[in-house]
Amino acid sequence: MLADQQILRIPGPSPIPPSVQRAMSQPMIGHRGLETKELLQQIKPELKTVFGTKQDILLIAGSGTAGLEAAVVNTVSSGDEVLVIVTGAFGDRFAKICNEYKTNVHRIDTAWGEAVNPDVIKDYLKSHSGIKAVFATYCETSTGVLNPVDEIAKIVHTYSDALFIVDGVSCVGGVKTKMDDWGIDILVTGSQKAMMLPAGLTFLAVSQRAWKTIEENKQSRFYLDLKKYRDNLAKDSTPFTPALSLLFGLKQVLKLMQEEGLEEVYKRHQLMKEMTRSAFRALQIPLLTNDTAASPTVTAIKPGDFRAEDLRRLLKKDFNLSVAGGQQHMKGEIFRIGHMGYCSPADVLQVISIIEIGIKKAGGNIELGKGTRAAQEIYLG
């Protein structure tokens, strides 16, 4: 094993393209100068395409959780009724944020590994007319589930006057996203997942409908006040010091996406998902999610005859390959493979081949090469 060779296949942070690393190493510039103004002018239109919106995308120096909290604190106040759809650890995080601001939290919980049934939301909204905002997770990173946010949005707007607010942190940039067409009111993502940047930048897109609510909301906020970001972005500026190195990198990320073409980006992620899932099926190792609910950016596996943590330890020790473990009650029960952003089918083949060795060493009863071959056949097919 080479000490400097890191194989990072967790669902974020994800690897950084070399050209993006070079872009981020540019000399620092004045954040109130003409260069930063021009940088924001170049970034703004390309980001809209990734989100599928005509709205400007707000840029906040902070993690994805800062974006989730901003979505809460700007739209609801203490005592407001909100509905949080919880399909894993990050849906639960949305609920915890709402609880911190003393809202009246209603929850729809699903079994981990399952996507939410939109009909359950419809029935809930029909019997709870006071819901002011519905919070959902597009890709639930902890389980590898992709929720049908397009269907949920239709239901929210048909059966309530609530805002529909979506955590897209682990999938925007890697899966089809049509914020305006679907009717999402606020969409949040972070820099360190499919957006191929280090952690430290959060993005929010806000509908005109949501802006009306934000303008009327009396909840106190300062750094996370989205009106400040909107008003400054209109002047190609930011209300507070921006993460300039990440903005340099973001410009290059958007160039890479444009050159590949967003539809091709989505096809690549779909292919990597199918290769990964086919490999573990061939090895007869259970997947946590079914095909319909599976995310193109992360796959969760629930082994039976070997321990997930033993596998993770062996992969790290022998190959410096990092895959993620489970969270909360799934800790030690599953492992998760990230295939998002700067990741290709070649990377998937490498990872599957290495994991097969790790499974053997961890005591799993598999035939070496069977998973790799299955992934190869998906690629060729």
Side-chain angles (χ1 to χ4, degrees):
M1 181 182 73
L2 301 174
D4 286 350
Q5 188 178 56
Q6 302 279 342
I7 307 174
L8 187 63
R9 289 298 162 221
I10 62 176
S14 61
I16 312 300
S19 66
V20 175
Q21 290 180 325
R22 291 192 295 271
M24 290 189 297
S25 69
Q26 294 177 65
M28 195 48 55
I29 59 177
H31 68 289
R32 297 298 178 219
L34 179 61
E35 299 98 329
T36 299
K37 186 181 183 74
E38 291 174 343
L39 179 60
L40 288 168
Q41 287 172 346
Q42 293 161 351
I43 287 170
K44 283 163 61 175
E46 301 301 331
L47 262 181
K48 292 180 184 182
T49 305
V50 176
F51 277 70
T53 183
K54 295 178 181 177
Q55 306 300 321
D56 280 333
I57 313 302
L58 310 181
L59 303 164
I60 300 176
S63 71
T65 303
L68 304 184
E69 183 164 347
V72 173
V73 73
N74 281 269
T75 57
V76 295
S77 301
S78 175
D80 286 345
E81 291 191 72
V82 302
L83 173 62
V84 184
I85 299 161
V86 180
T87 55
F90 291 93
D92 186 54
R93 179 172 295 184
F94 243 153
K96 287 175 179 175
I97 295 169
C98 290
N99 278 321
E100 283 295 322
Y101 287 98
K102 296 180 171 39
T103 61
N104 182 3
V105 178
H106 302 252
R107 292 174 60 125
I108 292 177
D109 284 85
T110 69
W112 284 36
E114 295 179 9
V116 68
N117 181 346
D119 287 337
V120 173
I121 302 169
K122 178 174 70 175
D123 292 341
Y124 200 93
L125 291 174
K126 286 167 74 174
S127 59
H128 294 80
S129 60
I131 301 293
K132 187 171 180 181
V134 176
F135 297 88
T137 312
Y138 193 178
C139 173
E140 177 49 71
T141 324
S142 64
T143 62
V145 160
L146 195 75
N147 282 303
V149 293
D150 52 343
E151 296 178 44
I152 299 169
K154 290 177 185 175
I155 285 169
V156 169
H157 295 313
T158 301
Y159 295 97
S160 78
D161 294 321
L163 295 179
F164 184 46
I165 299 171
V166 174
D167 166 3
V169 170
S170 61
C171 62
V172 172
V175 302
K176 188 179 292 293
T177 305
K178 301 288 185 184
M179 177 180 161
D180 290 353
D181 290 350
W182 295 346
I184 296 172
D185 290 300
I186 297 182
L187 179 60
V188 181
T189 196
S191 53
Q192 77 277 19
K193 308 275 187 175
M195 295 301 292
M196 302 187 287
L197 289 163
L201 195 61
T202 188
F203 311 83
L204 290 96
V206 182
S207 72
Q208 287 300 320
R209 186 166 174 269
W211 278 124
K212 185 175 185 297
T213 298
I214 291 168
E215 293 283 0
E216 296 170 354
N217 185 28
K218 303 302 182 185
Q219 172 68 53
S220 298
R221 63 262 194 190
F222 183 76
Y223 184 73
L224 296 178
D225 184 354
L226 295 183
K227 291 184 292 183
K228 291 186 175 80
Y229 289 89
R230 176 197 61 189
D231 295 345
N232 278 267
L233 193 59
K235 298 178 286 189
D236 300 313
S237 183
T238 57
F240 309 104
T241 307
L244 279 168
S245 294
L246 293 177
L247 294 182
F248 289 147
L250 177 58
K251 178 184 173 183
Q252 178 61 20
V253 164
L254 295 169
K255 180 182 178 184
L256 293 175
M257 288 182 171
Q258 184 183 48
E259 289 174 348
E260 184 177 0
L262 273 179
E263 289 301 322
E264 291 304 314
V265 171
Y266 303 150
K267 287 178 185 177
R268 170 166 53 86
H269 282 80
Q270 185 70 19
L271 174 59
M272 293 189 295
K273 176 192 85 170
E274 292 171 1
M275 290 171 68
T276 303
R277 292 178 67 80
S278 178
F280 286 97
R281 276 204 196 89
L283 295 170
Q284 297 184 320
I285 300 173
L287 296 156
L288 185 63
T289 65
N290 62 32
D291 287 345
T292 303
S295 169
T297 58
V298 53
T299 296
I301 300 101
K302 196 173 189 298
D305 64 346
F306 63 92
R307 295 183 67 250
E309 292 305 298
D310 288 344
L311 173 66
R312 293 181 64 228
R313 177 178 51 79
L314 287 163
L315 295 177
K316 185 65 176 174
K317 176 177 175 289
D318 291 358
F319 296 99
N320 228 352
L321 167 61
S322 296
V323 297
Q327 294 177 290
Q328 295 186 17
H329 68 277
M330 285 284 186
K331 191 175 179 64
E333 299 294 317
I334 64 172
F335 64 96
R336 295 172 295 140
I337 302 169
H339 35 78
M340 65 176 73
Y342 186 54
C343 187
S344 73
D347 295 311
V348 172
L349 291 172
Q350 177 195 43
V351 168
I352 296 301
S353 177
I354 292 172
I355 287 176
E356 286 185 312
I357 295 172
I359 290 171
K360 270 287 189 184
K361 295 187 73 172
N365 181 25
I366 63 164
E367 179 185 332
L368 282 174
K370 199 168 185 179
T372 304
R373 178 177 177 175
Q376 290 171 329
E377 288 173 345
I378 292 292
Y379 181 83
L380 289 170

